[in-house]
Amino acid sequence: MPRYIRTVHGSRNSSFKMRLVIAAGIALFSFISYLMKADVNEITGETQQVALTEQQEIALGLQAMPTIIQRHHGEHPDQQAQAYVDRVGQRLLQSLNNALKKQGRQNPYRFDFHLLNDDQVINAFALPGGQIFITAALYQQLETEGQLAGVLGHEIGHVLSRHGAQHMAKQQLTQGLVGAAGVAGGDANSAQLARMVGSMVNMKYGRNDELESDRWGVEIMVKAGYDPYAMIGVMKILKRSAGTGRQPEIFSTHPDPGNRIERIKALIQRSYSSDTLSHLEP
């Protein structure tokens, strides 16, 4: 083999090994950083990997709130409807906080409930720290107070479980691993493939969050005196809305309502007796 060919091959091998070393360093740093983001959830007592402190979650939610409201055409002008949402939300929170107090725990979050003046997008969501939103398009579909309680209880569950902060920590880990893969591959295609894999991982993680928030919603509803089977009605409304061609935006992050109906039914039947549920408000 001519000397210049050996030199070129040697240079390529050396460059590839260097990229691998750098990529391994980036991946290791990202993983260690992720593990160091451990914090104990004051409400559940569980150790979680989160990117923010509770106070940072609250500050982030308050900072993002005006942009979210503007994006959905402002807050709804019907003050009676807003007061109704507030009343149901506060009823859920009061029951939750009373239960936590008996356990020697405290809710560190500041909750506010917003009815958005968006009659096109069927959605409800929560920002880290306690800012909770429901669009008019979803609100107008609800048939009972219990169904509204189910929607709000589910979103409260996202906040209590710190899903936003968890997702941000995992996203930071994913970005680090994506960067490492791009360095190792040495081209844009490698980085693009890694991003696709990362997106799939994060989407699966988000769907598990939804099921956990369903469990929170059921628990909070029962504490507040609402029949948790009202959540089944919410799932049917979402499924019916999809059948009319109005694909709810909520489907972009939530599991299919049909699948959730069976899970919610099983959870309720496993957790509560018929006697316990018989006196609850629908």
Side-chain angles (χ1 to χ4, degrees), residues 11 19 35 44 55 90-91 103 117 133 135 161 215:
S11 176
R19 289 201 307 271
L35 294 179
T44 66
Q55 293 304 311
Q90 291 304 321
R91 175 174 166 177
Q103 300 170 10
N117 191 28
F133 305 85
T135 63
S161 297
R215 291 193 293 271

Side-chain angles (χ1 to χ4, degrees), residues 214-265:
D214 283 341
R215 291 193 293 271
W216 266 115
V218 166
E219 181 179 344
I220 297 171
M221 288 178 72
V222 172
K223 291 183 187 304
Y226 291 107
D227 185 346
Y229 279 107
M231 287 190 72
I232 304 299
V234 176
M235 297 301 109
K236 291 179 178 179
I237 288 171
L238 294 176
K239 196 167 186 177
R240 185 170 65 239
S241 299
T244 62
R246 292 186 69 192
Q247 180 74 348
E249 186 174 297
I250 203 169
F251 283 4
S252 64
T253 54
H254 292 57
D256 180 85
N259 298 332
R260 289 170 71 187
I261 287 174
E262 296 307 315
R263 290 175 181 266
I264 292 171
K265 283 183 179 178

Side-chain angles (χ1 to χ4, degrees), residues 63-76 115-121 123 125-127 133-136 249:
Q63 183 179 7
M65 178 181 63
T67 301
I68 295 295
I69 292 175
Q70 183 180 16
R71 185 180 300 167
H72 290 274
H73 315 302
E75 294 190 281
H76 202 282
L115 176 60
L116 298 171
N117 191 28
D118 187 337
D119 60 0
Q120 298 299 315
V121 176
N123 206 0
F125 50 92
L127 294 177
F133 305 85
I134 178 172
T135 63
E249 186 174 297

Side-chain angles (χ1 to χ4, degrees), residues 61-217:
L62 290 172
Q63 183 179 7
M65 178 181 63
T67 301
I68 295 295
I69 292 175
Q70 183 180 16
R71 185 180 300 167
H72 290 274
H73 315 302
E75 294 190 281
H76 202 282
D78 188 338
Q79 295 185 0
Q80 287 187 332
Q82 177 62 64
Y84 176 49
V85 172
D86 286 333
R87 179 174 63 79
V88 174
Q90 291 304 321
R91 175 174 166 177
L92 294 170
L93 285 178
Q94 183 175 357
S95 300
L96 170 68
N97 291 338
N98 289 340
L100 290 174
K101 188 176 181 179
K102 291 178 181 178
Q103 300 170 10
R105 301 185 186 278
Q106 186 175 1
N107 172 17
Y109 296 111
R110 166 184 170 178
F111 282 91
D112 294 300
F113 301 92
H114 306 272
L115 176 60
L116 298 171
N117 191 28
D118 187 337
D119 60 0
Q120 298 299 315
V121 176
I122 299 174
N123 206 0
F125 50 92
L127 294 177
Q131 300 302 309
I132 292 176
F133 305 85
I134 178 172
T135 63
L138 176 56
Y139 175 81
Q140 291 164 2
Q141 299 275 344
L142 301 178
E143 300 161 347
T144 68
E145 183 172 322
Q147 289 177 357
L148 175 59
V151 173
L152 299 181
H154 173 94
E155 300 306 332
I156 290 172
H158 278 303
V159 177
L160 300 180
S161 297
R162 308 186 71 180
H163 287 155
Q166 274 189 311
H167 188 75
M168 289 177 67
K170 190 166 186 179
Q171 199 169 37
Q172 289 171 1
L173 171 62
T174 301
Q175 288 172 349
L177 297 179
V178 165
V183 170
D187 57 41
N189 290 333
S190 299
Q192 184 177 10
L193 178 61
R195 281 191 199 93
M196 291 174 61
V197 173
S199 297
M200 291 172 62
V201 170
N202 282 330
M203 179 61 72
K204 182 178 180 182
Y205 182 78
R207 290 178 184 273
N208 288 337
D209 289 347
E210 299 302 336
L211 299 177
E212 184 177 7
S213 289
D214 283 341
R215 291 193 293 271
W216 266 115

